[in-house]
Amino acid sequence: MLKITTKHRKTNFLTPSGLRCLANFPTVNVSAGCAHNCVYCYTKGYSVYPGDGSIEVYENMAIRIASEIKQKRKKPAAVYFCPSCDPFQPIPQIQQITFDVMKTLLENGIGVQFVTKGKIPEEILGLFARYSSQIAGQIGLISVDDEILSVIEPAAAKARQRLNQLERLIEIGVKMSARCDPLIYGITDEDKQLHSLFSAIAKTGCEESAVSFLFLRPAITSSLKKNLGQTTALNKILSPFSEGISLPIGLKNSTGLALPLDIRKSSFERIKKIANDYDIRIHICGCKNRDITNKNCYITREQKIQDKLLPYPNSY
Ligand code: SF4
């Protein structure tokens, strides 16, 4: 049972991110904690994480952000949703906040960029259709096997739902890519699984995918142990990390335990070849694989500042 606490906040919601790949835009978290409860969630170790099963939302977020925008001398080109939660969690209150904040930004000529594993509400898709040139996103998908997803990402949308959304967003003109991150070595990255994954992604019209593998931090390891128990799957996930290496993970002074370099190198080569069969370009996440690449995985896109305000029709 989820515990949702509503709070009022006086400090700014639009904040810069410490992540190198999110440095171009301010970011916003529509909640503290995330109802998707992915077992590998990197935010579990953050000091503001309210604990599994707890979500904090801010009732004044949309109003406060509208006033933050007014006070800014230079408007940001876009805002990124969300570094530490999912903007489309299956909670009506959060979906309303996300809608209100995105609408406020778009009406003020500010772009919206997002990553989600959730079910995007129809109201949001309508908003995105109207402002498609101002929006870019990634749909997170590490497998098309719902049995695996129900264990690893228990409350996120089903694979088919995510693929349908990806297709729909591409159709309405939103710049989209897939985010296959974190792939779990030995669990979601076998050749057959990758063929199914990239074939399904390609059928949506998507031509790009960001990829990376699971990294470990103490809170992630604890979550895996707690949620998977002493199973073969847990051993399969953790054992390659016994030879893992500590790497910076994009956040200032922050490191994670990555799979050994040779495993990641050969796996990325294999992934690229399979994706290539489906005409999908692969972008390795450079923040989490600095020993392989410093390239961008396009979690955000270049965005021009819009000088025209496009009012949202009341009839929508
Ligand atoms: S959707 Fe993202 S933020 Fe939410 S639980 Fe999963 S990994 Fe964490």
Side-chain angles (χ1 to χ4, degrees):
M1 179 82 175
L2 267 181
K3 183 174 162 243
I4 302 170
T5 313
T6 305
K7 293 191 166 177
H8 194 88
R9 188 164 124 180
K10 289 188 179 149
T11 51
N12 284 352
F13 284 105
L14 297 180
T15 50
S17 167
L19 278 168
R20 185 182 65 123
C21 55
L22 298 179
N24 294 339
F25 306 127
T27 65
V28 66
N29 285 307
V30 294
S31 64
C34 179
H36 286 159
N37 201 21
C38 304
V39 296
Y40 54 71
C41 182
Y42 50 91
T43 71
K44 288 180 192 279
Y46 291 1
S47 58
V48 290
Y49 184 68
D52 289 351
S54 285
I55 309 283
E56 290 173 4
V57 293
Y58 302 95
E59 57 188 358
N60 62 331
M61 185 178 274
I63 293 172
R64 172 96 205 174
I65 286 179
S67 100
E68 281 176 44
I69 294 166
K70 270 195 200 128
Q71 283 162 19
K72 281 194 189 298
R73 262 190 293 152
K74 196 174 165 222
K75 276 192 300 186
V79 169
Y80 175 80
F81 292 70
C82 305
S84 305
C85 65
D86 194 296
F88 305 117
Q89 297 164 57
I91 297 175
Q93 205 177 343
I94 292 183
Q95 290 176 359
Q96 188 61 51
I97 290 170
T98 298
F99 177 82
D100 291 344
V101 174
M102 287 183 170
K103 179 171 171 279
T104 299
L105 295 169
L106 291 165
E107 285 183 347
N108 281 279
I110 298 169
V112 161
Q113 305 208 0
F114 67 92
V115 64
T116 186
K117 298 178 186 108
K119 180 171 183 285
I120 305 176
E122 278 303 317
E123 199 184 22
I124 290 275
L125 291 169
L127 180 71
F128 283 3
R130 176 152 175 80
Y131 292 96
S132 57
S133 66
Q134 285 175 252
I135 299 161
Q138 291 192 329
I139 296 288
L141 190 64
I142 57 168
S143 171
V144 287
D145 182 337
D146 278 327
E147 227 175 282
I148 292 181
L149 294 182
S150 68
V151 176
I152 295 175
E153 300 166 352
K158 299 263 185 270
R160 177 43 49 203
Q161 175 87 48
R162 293 187 231 179
L163 289 161
N164 289 348
Q165 288 174 171
L166 183 56
E167 184 168 12
R168 203 153 153 208
L169 287 160
I170 291 167
E171 273 168 13
I172 61 178
V174 175
K175 181 88 184 154
M176 291 299 299
S177 57
R179 184 162 198 90
C180 307
D181 177 24
L183 290 168
I184 304 180
Y185 182 69
I187 301 287
T188 67
D189 72 327
E190 284 171 10
D191 285 3
K192 201 172 157 207
Q193 293 171 310
L194 293 172
H195 275 285
S196 303
L197 178 64
F198 290 120
S199 142
I201 290 171
K203 281 185 191 143
T204 68
C206 179
E207 296 172 340
E208 289 180 278
S209 178
V211 295
S212 193
F213 278 95
L214 176 74
F215 66 85
L216 296 181
R217 303 188 79 197
I220 299 175
T221 309
S222 305
S223 166
L224 291 169
K225 287 182 176 165
K226 181 177 144 199
N227 288 287
L228 302 182
Q230 283 309 323
T231 53
T232 317
L234 180 74
N235 289 336
K236 213 168 171 184
I237 293 171
L238 296 184
S239 56
F241 285 93
S242 60
E243 314 254 315
I245 50 170
S246 179
L247 279 182
I249 51 170
L251 269 171
K252 211 175 162 193
N253 300 329
S254 192
T255 57
L257 186 66
L259 288 167
L261 178 61
D262 57 333
I263 290 188
R264 279 177 295 123
K265 264 188 169 170
S266 59
S267 297
F268 286 138
E269 281 313 308
R270 194 168 50 84
I271 291 167
K272 272 186 185 166
K273 277 195 192 126
I274 294 174
N276 193 42
D277 288 349
Y278 302 95
D279 294 327
I280 291 178
R281 285 187 303 283
I282 289 296
H283 304 292
I284 299 168
C285 167
C287 284
K288 298 195 289 277
N289 298 280
R290 294 243 190 123
D291 49 354
I292 295 178
T293 180
N294 60 6
K295 289 200 177 138
N296 191 321
C297 67
Y298 297 101
I299 197 164
T300 58
R301 302 272 173 175
E302 226 175 82
Q303 182 119 21
K304 292 204 175 74
I305 293 179
Q306 307 279 321
D307 47 10
K308 260 197 192 154
L309 303 186
L310 301 171
Y312 191 67
N314 290 332
S315 58
Y316 230 105

